Amino acid sequence: MPFKTKLTPHTADTKGNDSHLKKVFALAITSFIVFSFTLSDSGYLPASTLSKQQWVDSVFNSLSENQRLGQLFMVAAYSNKDETHYREIDKLVREQHIGGLIFFQGGPGRQAVLTNRYQKAAKVPLIIGMDLEWGLQMRLDSTIQYPKAMTLGAIKDNSYIYEMGKEIARQCKELGVHINFAPVVDVNSNPQNPVIGYRSFGEDKINVSQKGIAYMKGMQDNGVLASAKHFPGHGDTDSDSHYTLPVIKHSRERLDTLELYPFREMIKAGVKSIMVAHLAVPALDNRENMPTTLSYNVVTKLLKEEMGFEGLIFTDALNMKGVADYYKPGVVDLMALKAGNDVLLFAQDVPEGLRLIKAALANGELKREDINKSVKKILAAKYDVGLAKYAPLKVQGIVKRINTPEAELLKKKLIEKSFTVIENQEGLLPLNNLERYAFASLTIGLNKGNTFQTYLSKYAPFAHHQLNSWNNSQAALTEMMNKLKNYNVVVVGLHGVTNSPKNNHGISSAEIAMLRELQKTTKVIAVVFGNPYSIRYTLGLNHLACAFEDNETSRQLAPQILFGALSSNGKLPVSPSTVYPVGWGNTTEFLGRLFYTLPEEAGMDSNILNKIDEIVEGAIRDRATPGAQVIVARKGAVVYSKNFGYMDYEKKRVVTDETIYDVASLTKVLGTLQGIMFLHERELISLDGSVQEYLPELRSSNKGSLIVKDVLTHQAGLIPYIAHWQKTIEKSVPLPEFYSSISTPKFNYQISDGLFASTTLRDSIWHWTINSDLLSRDLRRGSHYVYRYSDIGFYLMHAVLERLTNQPMDDFLNNVFYSRLGLATLSFHPLAKFPKEQIAPTEKDKYFRNQLVWGTVHDQGAAMFGGVAGHAGIFSNANDVAIIMQMNLQNGFYGGQTYLLPETIQTFTTKLSGNNRRGLGWDKPVISGDGGPTSDKVSPRTYGHTGFTGTAAWADPESDLVYIFLSNRVHPVAENTKLITSNIRTKIQDLLYESIENYEKSIQNTQR
């Protein structure tokens, strides 16, 4: 709505003075012409048309006395109330000409609608304020909650605080909010403070000042006013000014030294406004029941004159008991203006306030020049925040525009950077050499299935336990300690920690005593999810960290830091005890493990990656697979990890992070090939050597002269597959010399439920394999055959690996790789370690096992070989597969340890032949033409493998990208090829590169 001008200044006496009347009329006409040429349909005066001073003077001169005085009032508004409330605000805007609103509870969409409504009703655009200390979520639903100030106080790098201020400013502008009543720069020197506490950056005045300035500049550099509060300092109180009038008895010298220090620094740094608190401070004003808000000595003499502050001065909310218990509405407004405040915040009776203010102006109790100065300061602030060119808010899509992935990512980074390791005896953290430990976890104050424990399991096998609340019986604590004492490491999450200093912040001494006793026999790592003052009640624990807040993000991040997927350098912002003073904190290092974050942190577009959901859900609807797991990692970060559907079409068991799939031929690269690379770099095997050098029994066979690298590249002339199982049945009935329906010492290889193979069957299979035919000689090309994919070569490599390591392959792989990597699910023989219900079933075998294959390897040959074979047999969830692929992508380094050398990875993942896309064991993309196993967007350096059951694992070094897809597409019948013919896996891979391209384009557009 256009700004409405008045042709006659109301403050001028025009009677009986024609000359003066002409001047006034000329001024009005000039003003009207200026306004006529500067108005637009979309808003008020364009800032480019008039300078700030011109705009302020023009608006001020156009206002009546009532309209000017109305500018001093900022009234409380809500977007979660009814039409009665909304009409009350309409009336105050239209009839009392209030200058602004402070919005409280509601939602962003509703508030945007109301903001447009109220702005349309206003003669002068309203300045909108909110208390958003930790972002919009402090007041509004459907928005992001940033960390509280005390959490931010632990962050070493203040640039993160600046970025938070910048992002909150962006969100405020989307919502039409012009001033954020933040930051709190009270120095919280009193641990018993019931109202400031976690709202303060801490007890160190320099840290408080620096972080307050960073927050303030982040907002003000981006067009939103900051307001330093609560002047002259609310940090050393043991009562709450919302309910009473707190008294601060410190000397003026102490106030100057501590409480006032951050405000002086904020003023020097350019803060645009300050909020005055409702405090009784005898050293500044010794009148009884005189709140600092209403004190001329505090507001004018101290803040304005002595400290030189020229910006806007806001009262704290005038409905708070700290003033409301002593002074009536209207009276308190007048007193606040007399004290020197500019804006009356949360005024409760505007008409009465206006009546008393006008009377005070008439009798000289208030100086008109002081009021006019305040009004002009308010108008100047409106100009600064862009209200001279006001345009209505765009309501549609506002929630999405506010809650961007980048905004969520910033929240994560702030919480990550605040995490503080307080005690770390013997340098246990970050956890390394995982093979040494048996892990358990305990959460106190959380139920089963919590995020903290879920993320712990991403790094190591854990046995999880819970105490759902504090104040457990001694019997319950003893029972729990007996369960935990046999583990090497117990990670404990302390939840339910309150911000109130009452009752030890909710921490019970009995549970802490149990942990102190437990650590006599095992290593206990405790993480406090809550107020750092609570740490005084956890003293004596040898490994202790503080996550400051208890939310899903902190629960996800804590395990990542404990295991070195992220580093930690947070410092305590307060002194919980003399043992741990302010500034205390241990640095922990990054060990090169996968961490979990949003795509944007790794340079990918969330919106594109989310399209993976549509592809997988479509595949499930088309019955290409009953369910799936998909993981995408880039630059060492898991940026997409989702589970879809069910383990079967009966929809009895949902796919979760813990679901284990038969990965089929991924076994070749996740298992056997890792061992062969290990042997190669130790010069125990030569790629140019013949197989018979390692397996002498092959010398008299047609396979003795096969070259290792030809076997690994599938060009050794080996036939693709041998149906060994057909030799062990007759008319679909298992032959008794090979199988038994019960497990006995002679028949102890489980093939499936109720079917056990003879221990001699493995020798038979090996004999049949050695004596199998090679491909026709006309397929031979020079020193090797044409490329033909074959499982047989990995039977041979399996035998080589076991012969050279002198131990079963599964034991070797577990000792050298899997246990050290902390893989929680990846293994052979899953039924020996996991409940059957955790494993996705595969095929309903109607020709060999005559039943549903569930928990035993799908591949017949691998099953007959005892469940451990070079070409199949591994079961895993997607997370563990991603870890092995990431280790290879990181040139053999992971979790602080080196598994393989970079040159080994390079040798084995490089394409060797012009007529064969494969590397040594690894599959590779088809670079020209169709029909390859990958997207055509991958780089030539990409390597990985696919599996018959519907699995895929790929790593692209050029894009620093890992992609894992696990499914049981062979359930219930292996002939279901929809997953393959629909190119589900490659379509998903296409999106990964599109996501990278889109992100890079968005960055380029932003930089322009």
Side-chain angles (χ1 to χ4, degrees), residues 433-475:
N433 301 309
L434 305 184
E435 70 277 9
R436 298 179 183 178
Y437 306 119
F439 291 98
S441 76
L442 169 66
T443 51
I444 303 176
L446 267 190
N447 295 324
K448 185 177 181 180
N450 59 74
T451 307
F452 178 56
Q453 293 180 323
T454 296
Y455 273 74
L456 286 173
S457 288
K458 293 180 183 295
Y459 293 101
F462 268 86
H464 297 301
H465 303 273
Q466 297 83 26
L467 291 170
N468 294 344
S469 63
W470 293 85
N471 299 307
N472 294 277
S473 68
Q474 190 57 51

Side-chain angles (χ1 to χ4, degrees), residues 94-224:
R94 286 194 171 95
E95 297 181 7
Q96 307 301 330
H97 311 290
I98 58 174
L101 298 171
I102 174 172
F103 270 103
F104 286 90
Q105 284 74 23
R110 288 167 286 163
Q111 182 170 315
V113 169
L114 289 172
T115 297
N116 284 341
R117 169 175 170 171
Y118 299 147
Q119 291 286 20
K120 185 176 182 180
K123 172 181 171 59
V124 180
L126 300 162
I127 193 165
I128 306 295
M130 293 187 77
D131 277 312
L132 304 174
E133 296 167 23
W134 50 86
L136 298 186
Q137 200 275 339
M138 184 172 174
R139 298 300 183 201
L140 303 179
D141 60 31
S142 308
T143 55
I144 294 171
Q145 176 178 313
Y146 286 106
K148 310 296 196 304
M150 191 160 286
T151 305
L152 302 175
I155 296 175
K156 192 174 180 180
D157 185 350
N158 291 330
S159 67
Y160 288 98
I161 318 300
Y162 178 92
E163 289 300 319
M164 188 186 87
K166 178 180 178 181
E167 175 56 29
I168 290 175
R170 186 195 67 82
Q171 295 179 24
C172 283
K173 289 196 287 187
E174 287 283 358
L175 197 58
V177 173
H178 312 108
I179 179 165
N180 179 8
F181 293 111
V184 171
V185 291
D186 302 316
V187 181
N188 200 76
S189 56
N190 187 343
Q192 302 302 312
N193 196 320
V195 62
I196 303 302
Y198 64 89
R199 297 169 64 196
S200 165
F201 292 114
E203 68 179 54
D204 177 73
K205 66 180 182 182
I206 295 175
N207 191 41
V208 169
S209 302
Q210 291 174 343
K211 286 177 168 55
I213 289 169
Y215 189 0
M216 173 268 288
K217 286 188 173 181
M219 288 191 291
Q220 293 189 171
D221 288 353
N222 292 278
V224 170

Side-chain angles (χ1 to χ4, degrees), residues 363-382:
N363 64 26
E365 188 178 353
L366 273 178
K367 296 180 181 178
R368 189 173 299 277
E369 56 266 34
D370 290 340
I371 296 300
N372 289 349
K373 184 176 181 181
S374 289
V375 173
K376 289 187 176 183
K377 283 168 68 176
I378 293 166
L379 293 175
K382 291 185 176 185

Side-chain angles (χ1 to χ4, degrees), residues 670 818 823-828 833 874-877 880-881 884:
L670 302 178
Y818 303 158
L823 305 184
T825 64
L826 191 146
S827 67
F828 298 89
K833 305 169 187 176
I874 286 179
F875 288 71
S876 182
N877 68 0
D880 284 355
V881 176
I884 292 188

Side-chain angles (χ1 to χ4, degrees), residues 10-31:
H10 288 256
T11 54
D13 179 8
T14 60
K15 294 180 180 179
N17 190 334
D18 291 341
S19 175
H20 182 68
L21 180 59
K22 289 177 182 178
K23 291 179 181 178
V24 170
F25 186 74
L27 176 62
I29 291 296
T30 301
S31 178

